[in-house]
Amino acid sequence: MHKVIFDTDPGVDDAMALLFLHNHPEIDLIGITTVFGNASIETTTRNALFLKREWGIAAPVARGEGKTYNPMRNPIDWPVMIHGHDGLGNIDVPEVIDLPVDPRPAHRFIIETVRANPGEVTLIAVGRMSNLAYALKEDPAIAGLVKQVIIMGGAFDVPGNITPAAEANIHGDPEAADVVMGAPWKVVVVGLDVTMKTVMTRKRLAELTAENGRHLTLLSDISQFYIDFYGQHVKDEGMVVHDSCACVYLVAPELFTTRSGAIRVVAGGIADGQTIQKPDARSFPPGNWDDLPSQHACIGIDAQKVMALLDETLVR
């Protein structure tokens, strides 16, 4: 069993990824930590509690700080045109969910859970890297106790999606992302190089919902607004399943091709949030990537098999 803390900003594609983690028989979801990004920290935490209640998820929810690693960064508007005003596709999520939040802030929840399960916990982070960076700042030694970190974010050999240089999760807190990439733990970055090749069509989602209406009716309702947005970005009428790709990597890494090398994140300027890898197979003069751990960036994917595994798991 893979013990997982899911660091998330629900978010439509986050919801699909959460259901995958909940349903997969080899995954023990032991915590959900919230971060701001697709919506405010208040909204993403409320949404995590809503999905926990609706899908009967046992894992506790811990709320993040709601601020970037560099407090001087100016907040940006929430992407309501992508995820809706409620963060879950404008399905009118109740304002208050009658479930408790873990009393610890997200970064402290991560630290204490990792220390209670040394060498066993995988962190899957599909929003800004703020909570992970705060955890490292408070307790740097946890890097040696985490099994691995899987990130949905970044763009290496393809353009970004919020600027030509940057992917949205990394762009939202690049200082935090640079800390996470440079820490001495195993990081796998599942970015736009591979996620843009995975599309859940509206037709396929309807077919899956017919197979398992109990959980997927809600997911389908949440996803319709997102699919409408993605109509301008994908050939088929569907949605790119960014966050689910990071979750699939955990149980089926053989479906991905990775490249190893130190990774840095640009903080500032026109390339703010750009992820740049120094491949291990290439030599360069001394520079800012030296003496950093070699991490793995996904550069290839068997999209058909990834989507088949996602389909199979969602209807369990």
Side-chain angles (χ1 to χ4, degrees), residues 127 129 151-172 174 177 181 188-197 242 259 262-266 271-278 289 296-300:
M129 304 294 113
I151 289 168
M152 190 280 120
F156 294 91
D157 302 334
V158 298
N161 62 357
I162 194 165
T163 75
E167 180 275 331
N169 286 341
I170 306 300
H171 184 267
M181 302 294 187
V188 179
V189 185
V190 185
L192 300 183
D193 301 73
V194 296
T195 65
M196 289 300 297
K197 300 174 182 177
H242 298 290
R259 181 177 64 209
I263 297 172
R264 293 298 310 270
V265 179
V266 178
D272 198 28
Q274 184 177 21
T275 47
I276 305 174
Q277 185 179 45
K278 177 185 177 182
W289 287 258
H296 285 80
C298 290
I299 57 171

Side-chain angles (χ1 to χ4, degrees), residues 48 59 135 138 176 178 189 259 279 290 314:
E138 184 169 319
D178 195 49
V189 185
R259 181 177 64 209
D290 296 347
L314 291 177

Side-chain angles (χ1 to χ4, degrees), residues 7-173:
D7 191 63
T8 178
D9 59 339
V12 177
D13 54 331
D14 305 70
M16 182 178 289
L18 178 60
L19 185 57
F20 177 90
L21 294 172
H22 176 54
N23 281 359
H24 198 282
E26 297 173 13
I27 294 173
D28 179 13
L29 183 60
I30 61 174
I32 302 167
T33 52
T34 62
V35 67
F36 67 106
N38 289 329
S40 69
I41 192 64
E42 293 80 12
T43 299
T44 60
T45 304
R46 186 272 316 263
N47 289 350
L49 291 171
F50 172 71
L51 296 171
K52 169 184 166 75
R53 185 187 75 182
E54 295 301 301
W55 288 335
I57 297 172
V61 173
R63 171 180 159 150
E65 297 284 359
K67 59 185 180 182
T68 53
Y69 191 69
N70 175 2
M72 300 304 293
R73 277 204 169 259
N74 293 322
I76 61 173
D77 293 335
W78 313 123
V80 295
M81 68 289 191
I82 303 175
H83 295 274
H85 289 280
D86 64 3
L88 290 178
N90 287 339
I91 62 164
D92 296 326
V93 180
E95 286 296 325
V96 178
I97 306 299
D98 189 21
L99 287 178
V101 177
D102 192 277
R104 295 163 289 184
H107 71 280
R108 170 51 56 181
F109 177 90
I110 291 170
I111 291 168
E112 293 184 5
T113 305
V114 166
R115 285 200 166 276
N117 301 272
E120 298 181 10
V121 177
T122 294
L123 306 178
I124 300 182
V126 297
R128 302 179 186 196
M129 304 294 113
S130 314
N131 289 333
L132 274 61
Y134 279 123
L136 287 167
K137 183 177 181 180
E138 184 169 319
D139 189 355
I142 65 164
L145 302 175
V146 170
K147 185 175 182 180
Q148 64 175 332
V149 180
I150 303 173
I151 289 168
M152 190 280 120
F156 294 91
D157 302 334
V158 298
N161 62 357
I162 194 165
T163 75
E167 180 275 331
N169 286 341
I170 306 300
H171 184 267
D173 196 344

